[in-house]
Amino acid sequence: MSSSATRLRNDVANLFKASCHPDIVLPSDGPKDLTTITLHLLGPASTPYSEGAWKLTLKLPAEYPHSPPKAFFETKIFHPNVAASTGEVCVDTLKRDWSPNVDLRHVLLVIRCLLIEPNPESALNEDAGKLLLENFADFERMARLMTSVHALKRSAFASANTSSDLSSVTDSADENGNITTIYADLEVDSGRVSSTNTLDTKNVLRPLELTQRGSSAPNPESPSKPSVKNKDVKPKKKVGIKRL
C-alpha cells in the first residue's frame, strides 16, 4: 500500500476515533468511502448560524496529503467564504497555506471557525462579503434569515452532544465557541499526525458510539428542600379595568 493511501486511512480512522468538537457530528456507521467524508456541522453559539445545522462533505484527492481536500456545504448557507452556487468552501488552510502536516480534524475545526469569524477578503459569495464589510447588522439579519429558511434544525442533533462528547473536548475547545481556545487546539492538533497509530479498515469503519465511548462521574443530586408556605403573606389584590 502506498504511503498516501496509508496516511489517508490513518487520518480517517483518527477522525472517527475521537470527536473534534460537539458541533461536528460524524456519522455513527463510519465513512462508506474513505475519499468522501460526509458529516453535519452545527452552528456555533452566539453567531447568526447558532440555530442551524449543515450537511458538509470533504473530498480527498488521490494525492492527499500532498494536495488538500475540498470542502462543500451540501446545505445552502449565506456566508462570504462559501460559494452560493456550489457550496465550495474557501479558506487559506485548504489553499495557499495547506501543509501535509494538517489532518482532517484540523480542517473541520478551521471550517467551524469560519462560521464564527468569516473572512470577507477571500469571499466566494460577493454579496455576503460586501454586506459583512458595509453593514454587519444587516449581514447578521440576512444570515439568520437564510439559516431559518434553508438550514437543518440544530435541535435535531441535540442527542449527539452527550456528556461524554463534551468531556472529550473540554481541554481542546470551548463549548461556547471561544475562538481563542479553538485556535490553541489547532496548534496542538497539527502535531499529532506523526504519532498517528496505523489502524486497519475494520477499525476505520467502527461505529462512532463504540470508539468514542467515555465515562464521566455523575454529579451528586442535591437534596430537595421542602416547600415553605408563608402564612403572613397577603394575597395580591386583583386589579380590575374600568370601562369608560
Side-chain angles (χ1 to χ4, degrees), residues 28 43 87 90 120 144 150 183 189:
S28 60
C90 179
R144 290 183 191 280
H150 297 286
Y183 279 120
D189 282 345

Side-chain angles (χ1 to χ4, degrees), residues 49-71:
Y49 309 103
S50 60
E51 299 300 318
W54 289 265
K55 186 177 180 180
L56 182 73
T57 296
L58 291 182
K59 294 186 177 180
L60 292 89
E63 300 80 15
Y64 177 87
H66 302 291
S67 296
K70 290 187 176 182

Side-chain angles (χ1 to χ4, degrees), residues 113-152:
C113 288
L114 275 182
L115 299 187
I116 301 173
E117 288 194 359
N119 181 12
E121 294 181 1
S122 59
L124 288 180
N125 185 329
E126 293 182 1
D127 291 337
K130 183 178 180 181
L131 192 60
L132 176 61
L133 289 172
E134 294 180 351
N135 193 318
F136 183 74
D138 285 350
F139 167 78
E140 277 196 322
R141 279 192 288 270
M142 179 59 73
R144 290 183 191 280
L145 175 61
M146 294 290 281
T147 296
S148 65
V149 172
H150 297 286
L152 306 170

Side-chain angles (χ1 to χ4, degrees), residues 3-243:
S3 59
S4 293
T6 301
R7 167 62 188 275
L8 172 62
R9 188 178 64 177
N10 289 345
D11 276 11
V12 173
N14 190 44
L15 175 64
F16 280 81
K17 183 179 179 181
S19 175
C20 301
H21 190 279
D23 287 346
I24 299 170
V25 183
L26 297 164
S28 60
D29 57 350
K32 296 179 181 179
D33 178 1
L34 296 184
T35 62
T36 303
I37 310 297
T38 301
L39 57 124
H40 286 90
L41 178 62
L42 311 188
S46 303
T47 70
Y49 309 103
S50 60
E51 299 300 318
W54 289 265
K55 186 177 180 180
L56 182 73
T57 296
L58 291 182
K59 294 186 177 180
L60 292 89
E63 300 80 15
Y64 177 87
H66 302 291
S67 296
K70 290 187 176 182
F72 298 87
F73 276 83
E74 305 289 350
T75 310
K76 191 174 182 64
I77 185 172
F78 185 76
H79 191 286
N81 307 114
V82 180
S85 57
T86 65
E88 183 179 0
V89 178
C90 179
V91 61
D92 287 341
T93 300
L94 300 180
K95 302 289 185 180
R96 63 185 181 186
D97 293 340
W98 174 254
S99 166
N101 292 328
V102 175
D103 64 5
L104 298 179
R105 297 176 73 251
H106 185 130
V107 168
L108 291 177
L109 287 171
V110 167
I111 295 174
R112 178 183 178 273
C113 288
L114 275 182
L115 299 187
I116 301 173
E117 288 194 359
N119 181 12
E121 294 181 1
S122 59
L124 288 180
N125 185 329
E126 293 182 1
D127 291 337
K130 183 178 180 181
L131 192 60
L132 176 61
L133 289 172
E134 294 180 351
N135 193 318
F136 183 74
D138 285 350
F139 167 78
E140 277 196 322
R141 279 192 288 270
M142 179 59 73
R144 290 183 191 280
L145 175 61
M146 294 290 281
T147 296
S148 65
V149 172
H150 297 286
L152 306 170
K153 299 299 181 184
R154 182 190 171 98
S155 57
F157 296 87
S159 59
N161 295 338
T162 61
S163 59
S164 60
D165 290 332
L166 291 173
S167 63
S168 68
V169 296
T170 301
D171 295 333
S172 62
D174 193 305
E175 64 182 16
N176 293 323
N178 187 292
I179 193 72
T180 304
T181 304
I182 292 169
Y183 279 120
D185 179 51
L186 295 184
E187 294 174 0
V188 174
D189 282 345
S190 63
R192 291 181 181 173
V193 174
S194 58
S195 61
T196 302
N197 294 324
T198 302
L199 301 177
D200 58 20
T201 305
K202 182 172 66 175
N203 284 333
V204 172
L205 302 180
R206 184 176 297 174
L208 184 64
E209 64 266 23
L210 297 181
T211 56
Q212 284 186 220
R213 190 172 295 168
S215 60
S216 56
N219 294 326
E221 296 182 358
S222 57
S224 58
K225 296 181 181 180
S227 59
V228 179
K229 296 182 178 179
N230 192 340
K231 296 181 180 180
D232 297 330
V233 177
K234 296 181 181 181
K236 295 181 179 180
K237 295 182 180 181
K238 296 183 178 179
V239 179
I241 299 176
K242 297 181 179 181
R243 296 183 179 179

